[in-house]
Amino acid sequence: MKLKIFLFKKILSHMKKVLSALILSTTLASAGPAVAQSNQQSEAPNIVLILVDDASFTDLGAFGGEAQTPNIDAIAEQGMIFSNFHASPLCAPSRAMLLTGLDNHLTGMATIPEIMPEEHLGQPGYTGNLQPGVTTVAERLDDAGYRTYMTGKWHLGHGEGDLPNSHGFDHSFVLDAFGGDHYTERPHSPIFESTQWYEDGEPTSIPDDFYSSEDLVDKMIAYIDQEAGSNDPFFAYVGFLAVQRPIQVPPEFTEKYIDTYQDGWETLHHERWKRAQSLGLIPQNAPLAEFPKTLRAWDDLTAAEQTFAVKKMASYAGMLEAMDYHFGRLISHLKETGEYANTIFIIASDNGPEGGANWDSGLYRTWASLTGYTYNFETMGERGSYNEIGPEWAIASASPTSLFKSYASEGGIRVPLIITGPGIEAGAMTDAISFITDITPTMLDLAGVSYKPQEMTGRSLRPLLHGELAEIYGEDDVIGMEVSGNAALYKGNWKITRNQPPWGDAEWRLYNISADPGETYDLTLTHPDIYQDLVGEYDAYAAEVGVLDLPEGYSAAAVGAGRAIQTLLQIYWWFFALVIGGVVILLFGLYRWALRPLFRSLLKTAN
């Protein structure tokens, strides 16, 4: 039945495109050469959308990062860099907003399902998939005659009707979960029993020589080439798994950066702040938050610990370079086929860097050992290893912003954005505030596809790209966001932020985000009227989009750990049964051979 539905949709889509082509050819034939020339000048552009996973604001070379990303940097030089662009704190909400132009609560992806409290599951906005009636940019472009392709991370549902083929993509090769091993189908978290890849909505397997960044580009090139003779423009969305944990990359990439991070995380924290100032990404006098004293100081580590930590970050930089290298192959292919000049490129990250330290927990160590991951210096970052950079490197890489992924501080949500293509000024930079909900209306606007602006949360960035406006949000415009209790609201130069434990205290704080992007000075007491105004605006936003209050005592880490334990018990019940059985036998043996004689001796003595 699923196959019949899929084939029917494909036939219907093809008929629409053929009909569009017939209408266009008839119009050109009757209108004569002048109309044909006009249409050629307004030819709809291809759109390539690149989403990096968990890359910080200053990770890419064009934003001051240490990793060599020459292909992304070249794209940045040809277009516009956005220095004040924001995603959400977590991956799935960002991806839902990216593809729909709607606030995450209006799509069904209020947060990631893996940490959603039981009380919220299935509530409006909290379904864990794109709700009925939510239209993606792929559907809109497909209706307008575009060929639509996707490869990479989906994470917007995996049930019947939830995959990309049901949301406007002609062809797709995707991972439905929030991450996975970069070489195999091994899961990257104890929450999952396995990872599942899908092609055009059907389960599929990955080859033995798979590497995520390489194969996602290979598959996208193959999709584009399938209909290479078509005159229809294409929309190509690559959702890279890099640099989502586990950090894995061929060792030749890691080796380039072994000397780069020898001075430690406090030094990197300071250097990225200075480079961000020199590149004009933040004001010259913008302060830098103090490196958290709750974290390990670099100088307190032993030489062996420092060497181990350096390799972790070196493999992270190497993984960024590997991703860029394979993206470069897609660029080269478009140049070779003559498509490059008429292609719009949009490059962004879904949230800030991953700051978790899961390996330090006994649960993760047990799971990783059972799953077959290694954790040693020799193979760190390679195939089969489990690597994550941890909170110290995450804080440093998020500099000059504060905190990291999961939190609504700028380090969790201010991320890179680059847009280039026909008609966009080369070498431009804007500090106009923008949001991930703005990407869908921007793509539609640049493609010449009509839509109703009032139907979307975001706004088109086209006036910025074409130099028509300096800002698309005015001083009185309000933009809110919330994911699992971590929330922010912007109004003009002001921002209130609320972060949950363990890195926050669930209290609102007020910042002048223009002068203080590092959120170093809480202005709540000095500007109480502004504080109260923004808190009131947030309450109105939360009511409008349907934000649910967190249950008392809610902890994202506790919910995630509970679901991980549930999965582990389902998979490894035999292991735990053996352990429990062994303990019971050991206790019985201890009682039988040691404690029982002791008790008898004590009783005799007492008598």
Side-chain angles (χ1 to χ4, degrees):
M1 184 64 182
K2 288 170 62 178
L3 180 60
K4 288 180 180 179
I5 294 172
F6 172 71
L7 290 174
F8 176 75
K9 287 182 177 180
K10 296 302 296 178
I11 292 168
L12 187 62
S13 175
H14 181 71
M15 288 176 65
K16 285 192 295 184
K17 292 178 181 181
V18 170
L19 184 61
S20 297
L22 286 172
I23 293 172
L24 178 60
S25 61
T26 303
T27 303
L28 293 178
S30 61
V35 174
Q37 182 179 7
S38 173
N39 181 73
Q40 185 177 5
Q41 291 173 350
S42 60
E43 181 183 358
N46 305 313
I47 301 173
V48 172
L49 174 61
I50 301 294
L51 192 64
V52 190
D53 200 342
D54 293 358
S56 80
F57 177 50
T58 53
D59 265 343
L60 304 176
F63 286 76
E66 302 77 30
Q68 296 176 31
T69 55
N71 297 296
I72 292 176
D73 298 349
I75 293 291
E77 290 173 1
Q78 296 164 21
M80 180 173 283
I81 285 177
F82 289 73
S83 64
N84 199 6
F85 174 71
H86 298 80
S88 88
L90 285 175
C91 45
S94 287
R95 290 159 199 273
M97 292 193 281
L98 173 77
L99 292 178
T100 66
L102 295 171
D103 182 270
N104 52 310
H105 302 83
L106 302 178
T107 69
M109 299 302 302
T111 185
I112 61 173
E114 292 79 11
I115 61 170
M116 195 180 294
E118 295 287 343
E119 296 90 333
H120 291 177
L121 285 171
Q123 296 294 321
Y126 293 77
T127 58
N129 55 9
L130 295 179
Q131 294 176 162
V134 172
T135 305
T136 69
V137 67
E139 291 174 278
R140 295 176 186 271
L141 291 174
D142 186 71
D143 287 343
Y146 270 74
R147 296 174 280 150
T148 54
Y149 313 125
M150 180 191 172
T151 63
K153 177 173 164 180
W154 175 244
H155 201 202
L156 296 176
H158 55 267
E160 180 73 28
D162 288 336
L163 291 164
N165 62 301
S166 298
H167 290 285
F169 287 96
D170 295 335
H171 293 294
S172 57
F173 174 70
V174 298
L175 176 68
D176 67 331
F178 75 83
D181 190 273
H182 295 275
Y183 286 96
T184 69
E185 294 177 3
R186 180 185 299 164
H188 84 309
S189 165
I191 292 176
F192 301 104
E193 182 175 349
S194 62
T195 56
Q196 181 61 64
W197 287 82
Y198 295 85
E199 184 156 26
D200 295 343
E202 297 296 327
T204 189
S205 296
I206 59 176
D208 292 338
D209 60 350
F210 180 86
Y211 180 63
S212 64
S213 293
E214 179 177 10
D215 283 66
L216 296 182
V217 168
D218 285 346
K219 187 67 75 170
M220 182 57 73
I221 290 173
Y223 287 157
I224 293 171
D225 282 354
Q226 269 186 358
E227 301 176 78
S230 172
N231 291 323
D232 296 328
F234 62 80
F235 169 50
Y237 169 34
V238 182
F240 280 108
L241 274 64
V243 280
Q244 166 75 266
R245 59 180 169 88
I247 309 300
Q248 296 172 328
V249 66
E252 59 268 24
F253 287 98
T254 299
E255 290 166 3
K256 298 181 180 182
Y257 301 98
I258 291 296
D259 294 331
T260 305
Y261 301 103
Q262 295 286 343
D263 292 333
W265 34 66
E266 293 101 334
T267 298
L268 180 65
H269 186 241
H270 187 269
E271 287 177 346
R272 287 210 178 181
W273 170 59
K274 297 304 293 183
R275 283 199 295 270
Q277 288 179 330
S278 65
L279 290 170
L281 297 171
I282 60 172
Q284 289 295 318
N285 58 349
L288 176 66
E290 184 179 18
F291 196 85
K293 294 186 181 300
T294 53
L295 295 176
R296 296 174 297 170
W298 184 256
D299 289 341
D300 289 344
L301 271 61
T302 65
E305 288 172 333
Q306 289 180 351
T307 301
F308 195 83
V310 163
K311 192 169 185 183
K312 289 166 75 74
M313 193 61 186
S315 61
Y316 179 88
M319 195 176 189
L320 281 168
E321 182 182 341
M323 179 203 65
D324 178 84
Y325 169 79
H326 292 295
F327 171 51
R329 295 192 300 109
L330 176 58
I331 293 173
S332 297
H333 184 76
L334 296 179
K335 289 180 177 179
E336 291 166 5
T337 56
E339 298 282 6
Y340 179 84
N342 192 40
T343 298
I344 292 165
F345 289 90
I346 302 174
I347 304 169
S349 175
D350 63 345
N351 45 243
E354 171 65 65
N358 289 318
W359 189 268
D360 292 334
S361 78
L363 174 65
Y364 252 77
R365 286 176 182 260
T366 301
W367 164 80
S369 298
L370 291 170
T371 311
Y373 280 112
T374 61
Y375 189 74
N376 56 64
F377 177 79
E378 289 72 21
T379 61
M380 180 58 65
E382 298 180 22
R383 182 186 181 107
S385 73
Y386 197 93
N387 178 20
E388 55 184 358
I389 59 174
E392 293 91 355
W393 285 126
I395 288 284
S397 67
S399 177
T401 56
S402 58
L403 291 187
F404 38 68
K405 174 181 175 178
S406 299
Y407 298 99
S409 292
E410 294 293 279
I413 60 179
R414 186 181 290 210
V415 292
L417 172 65
I418 300 164
I419 304 180
T420 187
I424 298 172
E425 181 185 355
M429 180 183 289
T430 178
D431 63 357
I433 195 166
S434 54
F435 297 86
I436 200 162
T437 47
D438 300 331
I439 300 300
T440 278
T442 301
M443 290 190 287
L444 295 174
D445 211 356
L446 294 174
V449 176
S450 61
Y451 65 96
K452 296 179 180 178
Q454 64 270 24
E455 293 179 348
M456 293 188 189
T457 307
R459 300 181 181 182
S460 172
L461 301 174
R462 184 180 179 277
L464 293 177
L465 296 168
H466 289 176
E468 298 164 4
L469 292 175
E471 305 275 349
I472 61 167
Y473 291 97
E475 288 296 311
D476 294 326
D477 287 322
V478 172
I479 308 98
M481 67 173 65
E482 187 273 348
V483 175
S484 293
N486 299 300
L489 183 129
Y490 297 82
K491 187 176 183 180
N493 292 330
W494 298 98
K495 175 191 178 185
I496 52 169
T497 307
R498 183 187 67 197
N499 290 311
Q500 300 298 317
W503 283 88
D505 57 9
E507 297 293 333
W508 286 112
R509 285 174 170 75
L510 174 69
Y511 300 102
N512 183 322
I513 208 65
S514 177
D516 183 20
E519 296 166 305
T520 62
Y521 298 113
D522 179 7
L523 302 174
T524 300
L525 296 179
T526 56
H527 294 78
D529 292 345
I530 295 174
Y531 172 82
Q532 291 297 334
D533 175 50
L534 266 62
V535 170
E537 294 280 18
Y538 176 82
D539 290 341
Y541 153 78
E544 181 181 359
V545 301
V547 175
L548 297 179
D549 292 334
L550 291 177
E552 187 175 351
Y554 167 81
S555 163
V559 172
R563 289 183 179 151
I565 291 170
Q566 212 172 22
T567 303
L568 286 171
L569 289 173
Q570 290 173 353
I571 304 170
Y572 299 111
W573 61 267
W574 55 269
F575 173 79
F576 293 107
L578 287 174
V579 170
I580 293 170
V583 171
V584 170
I585 292 171
L586 180 64
L587 291 175
F588 178 77
L590 182 64
Y591 169 75
R592 176 75 172 77
W593 301 107
L595 294 180
R596 190 168 67 171
L598 178 61
F599 290 153
R600 285 178 176 175
S601 175
L602 291 172
L603 285 171
K604 285 181 179 179
T605 304
N607 292 332

